[in-house]
Amino acid sequence: MPNPVLIVGAGPTGLTAALELSRLGIPARIIDKQAAPPTTSRAVGVQARTLELLEQRGLSEELVRLGNPARAGSVYGGGRRVFRLDFAQVDSRYNYLLFVSQAETERVLREAIERQGVTIERGVELVGLSQDAMSHDATPVKAILRHADGRLGPAQVPWLISAEGAHSTVRATLDLTFEGKTLDEQYALGDLHFDGELVETDFHIFPSEHGFMGLFPMDQRRFRLIASNPIGKPSKDTVPATEELQAIYDQRSHIPARFREMSWSSWFHINSRMVPRLMVGRLLLGGDAAHIHSPAGAQGMNTGIQDMINVAWKLALVLKRQAPPALLDTYEQERLPVMRDVLTKTEGLTDLIGSENPIVRSLFNHLGPWIGGSGVVQENSTARMSQIAISYRDSPLSANHAHGGSLHAGDRVPDMPVRCRSTDGDGWQERALYGLLDPSRFMLLVVHLAESTAASADLCDAMRPWRHLFGVVELAPAPDDATRARFQSVFGRSGSAFLVRPDGYVGFAGGEHASARHHDAYCRQWLTAPAQTPNHPD
């Protein structure tokens, strides 16, 4: 591949794309029209699933050190707490919502790509592009870039990723509709020091007849406040003052508090929109260029990061001629439903907690303790918010053959203690399952119910043509009863095999009756053996 993939935008989405591609051996060029990195906090919530993925890339520890883990969300109404959403039951070591400035999240990602040898070209803006999707040219995307000194220059690349944000030049050039709506309400936002009784272990939501207000703990008694229907009149020439936010708080909260030392504030509207396509020829879209929505539930930045983790390994395999081009089609097939679900859920949550209807408010205050206290509601709500419930079961890339466990093709692999051994003959040892996954390649998990069981020779032979693309590890349950019970619940009570994708989701799941032929057929469809390398352009 003569030229690097061009990534437009150096926010969390673009930085993740650059990290993943460079880590997988694909040259990446990343540009951003801003002369310097933003310093404001902007998106502040990092979800459990994002932290799991960043952990595999050696980045979660620094973010956790910098941030504040909120282990619950308290929701109030009628002068009391209506219910508390507890993240303790989230099936992840990150059973909390981490609040940390987006500036810090970007710094951690930026330093990671610099270690990969990638430098952000700042003050460089994409101002025009064209492509010949039918061309056999290895670099069919032609871009015009404007540099900081005003100079215009061409760039010819094999692929371009739009991570430009809501005002995407790529989306506008393609004339892709940004389907959705703009909510009528104005919102005020401010980051400030809080003197009062609200605990920093929770984020706090105050629905009321005046509108919505939320407070999100950053660190050292600093909170992010977001509120609809501000008391003052928003203007493009002003920002919310401390006095404005104090008045909003006093109007909507029964808990005494005083604000001081505001570091940033802004007015904003909420848009809820998404594109109908994520790939047009050699142009890929992700993050805010593809979907924008309410900040309710802290989903936006996390969704953008996971967009890129989904697409980068697929693009890398195609560019290396280790997979057919059809593999890239699954990016759109998998992520569009996720984006649609995020928009639907955040719109519904915004409508509920922001409703000023007295009947809705009364029903919420009276029924909230009963509904919010339900174990099923608690478990489902926290799993969805933390994004560990995201699944690609309906993807063409997911092949499920009967087995007795709860883990199916398309599901995220859960972490747990296991006994394991490699096919190199090492003895059995106890490890965390996530420590066995590899974000750079597929992993074949051969599951036994006892350590003495041998790996299937037929299975190993069937996978041999693609052996350079994945690692193999044999699993057995850890010895204690509780861990064994969970192992059997997830993997079943008989032998099975799971081919795990580089993004930590199961591609192929098969029980003891899934033959080596099924595994072979899956690999033939989605991977390219060296002797079968097709002649298609980069």
Side-chain angles (χ1 to χ4, degrees):
M1 185 177 63
N3 289 342
V5 174
L6 179 62
I7 302 163
V8 185
T13 301
L15 291 169
T16 303
L19 173 63
E20 290 298 280
L21 290 173
S22 60
R23 195 178 57 75
L24 294 168
I26 301 300
R29 179 186 184 187
I30 181 169
I31 65 171
D32 194 282
K33 64 183 179 181
Q34 301 298 326
T39 57
T40 51
S41 55
R42 293 159 293 142
V44 296
V46 183
Q47 300 289 357
R49 183 56 184 153
T50 302
L51 289 169
E52 289 178 345
L53 294 165
L54 293 178
E55 177 188 342
Q56 294 178 332
R57 291 147 179 85
L59 304 180
S60 63
E61 184 177 350
E62 174 71 357
L63 273 183
V64 172
R65 183 186 69 81
L66 293 167
N68 178 55
R71 301 188 180 276
S74 289
V75 183
Y76 303 86
R80 63 189 177 96
R81 185 164 69 185
V82 176
F83 66 88
R84 186 172 187 258
L85 194 61
D86 189 352
F87 285 83
Q89 58 200 313
V90 171
D91 182 22
S92 171
R93 62 175 293 193
Y94 304 102
N95 54 351
Y96 48 78
L97 175 52
L98 184 71
F99 287 105
V100 60
S101 166
Q102 183 176 325
E104 294 289 5
T105 301
E106 290 181 6
R107 180 184 63 79
V108 169
L109 290 167
R110 191 164 58 246
E111 291 175 355
I113 70 167
E114 289 169 356
R115 290 192 293 270
Q116 293 291 133
V118 179
T119 300
I120 301 169
E121 299 177 41
R122 294 207 169 271
V124 180
E125 182 180 5
L126 174 71
V127 294
L129 78 157
S130 64
Q131 70 167 334
D132 183 353
M134 303 302 293
S135 171
H136 292 291
D137 185 348
T139 55
V141 178
K142 298 173 176 62
I144 302 297
L145 307 180
R146 180 164 56 212
H147 297 263
D149 58 3
R151 173 175 49 90
L152 296 178
Q156 196 163 341
V157 294
W159 290 85
L160 184 149
I161 296 175
S162 170
E164 308 158 88
H167 303 289
S168 166
T169 298
V170 172
R171 191 185 66 238
T173 302
L174 291 172
D175 199 25
L176 285 176
T177 56
F178 214 18
E179 301 166 352
K181 61 184 179 180
T182 300
L183 278 64
D184 294 332
E185 294 86 353
Q186 287 270 7
Y187 283 78
L189 171 155
D191 292 346
L192 29 69
H193 193 281
F194 182 95
D195 294 321
E197 296 293 323
L198 293 184
V199 297
E200 292 182 276
T201 56
D202 293 22
F203 60 89
H204 305 269
I205 305 297
F206 293 86
S208 75
E209 66 273 17
H210 304 289
F212 159 80
M213 180 179 71
L215 287 102
F216 308 96
M218 302 292 285
D219 61 359
Q220 300 178 351
R221 300 304 298 169
R222 296 194 68 80
F223 280 73
R224 155 75 55 84
L225 183 147
I226 296 177
S228 64
N229 299 336
I231 296 172
K233 186 175 181 179
S235 163
K236 65 179 181 180
D237 300 319
T238 66
V239 294
T242 302
E243 295 75 16
E244 164 83 11
L245 300 183
Q246 182 71 62
I248 292 173
Y249 180 86
D250 293 342
Q251 180 191 61
R252 304 178 193 185
S253 172
H254 60 286
I255 302 170
R258 300 302 299 171
F259 296 152
R260 58 185 171 89
E261 298 175 11
M262 184 157 64
S263 58
W264 180 53
S265 67
S266 177
W267 311 109
F268 68 96
H269 271 100
I270 290 177
N271 284 280
S272 186
R273 300 180 182 278
M274 65 178 286
V275 292
R277 300 185 63 184
L278 298 177
M279 184 172 74
V280 179
R282 298 295 189 88
L283 307 175
L284 297 159
L285 295 93
D288 286 357
H291 50 85
I292 53 174
H293 34 78
S294 166
Q299 301 293 290
M301 179 181 68
N302 296 272
T303 304
I305 289 172
Q306 292 177 48
D307 290 342
M308 294 301 101
I309 288 178
N310 181 286
V311 74
W313 66 268
K314 299 172 182 178
L315 181 57
L317 285 176
V318 170
L319 286 171
K320 293 176 181 178
R321 298 183 175 180
Q322 294 173 338
L327 179 65
L328 265 173
D329 295 336
T330 67
Y331 169 52
E332 184 173 285
Q333 292 161 342
E334 292 181 344
R335 294 304 293 176
L336 279 179
V338 172
M339 296 172 188
R340 196 170 294 113
D341 185 65
V342 167
L343 260 68
T344 300
K345 295 295 191 303
T346 54
E347 281 184 19
L349 185 58
T350 301
D351 290 344
L352 176 61
I353 63 179
S355 176
E356 301 162 41
N357 187 305
I359 297 175
V360 173
R361 296 262 53 85
S362 178
L363 288 172
F364 179 84
N365 294 340
H366 285 87
L367 297 179
W370 177 71
I371 297 173
S374 162
V376 172
V377 171
Q378 288 270 334
E379 182 177 354
N380 289 342
S381 298
T382 53
R384 284 182 173 276
M385 185 179 292
S386 63
Q387 298 194 339
I388 66 167
I390 290 173
S391 175
Y392 304 129
R393 287 191 181 188
D394 295 330
S395 169
L397 194 52
S398 300
N400 201 68
H401 294 268
H403 70 95
S406 61
L407 185 63
H408 289 72
D411 291 351
R412 152 193 169 269
V413 176
D415 199 11
M416 68 177 74
V418 296
R419 298 283 291 173
C420 67
R421 69 178 177 188
S422 70
T423 55
D424 298 329
D426 295 339
W428 290 91
Q429 56 183 303
E430 190 162 335
R431 292 278 301 277
L433 180 53
Y434 268 18
L436 304 174
L437 303 182
D438 189 338
S440 299
R441 59 177 179 168
F442 287 86
M443 290 298 296
L444 180 65
L445 307 181
V446 181
V447 178
H448 310 301
L449 291 185
E451 296 177 9
S452 59
T453 312
S456 166
D458 289 344
L459 177 59
C460 293
D461 286 343
M463 305 292 278
R464 197 175 306 279
W466 300 276
R467 184 65 179 82
H468 60 295
L469 297 179
F470 62 87
V472 182
V473 64
E474 297 179 67
L475 302 184
D480 63 281
D481 291 342
T483 304
R484 174 178 289 274
R486 187 181 179 215
F487 185 95
Q488 292 178 345
S489 173
V490 170
F491 294 110
R493 295 179 175 273
S494 59
S496 53
F498 299 82
L499 189 61
V500 182
R501 304 163 13 164
D503 57 2
Y505 292 85
V506 177
F508 180 98
E512 60 183 347
H513 299 298
S515 68
R517 178 174 54 83
H518 291 119
H519 292 268
D520 176 74
Y522 182 84
C523 289
R524 286 184 183 278
Q525 181 178 2
W526 295 113
L527 301 174
T528 303
Q532 300 170 313
T533 301
N535 294 317
H536 61 76
D538 289 332

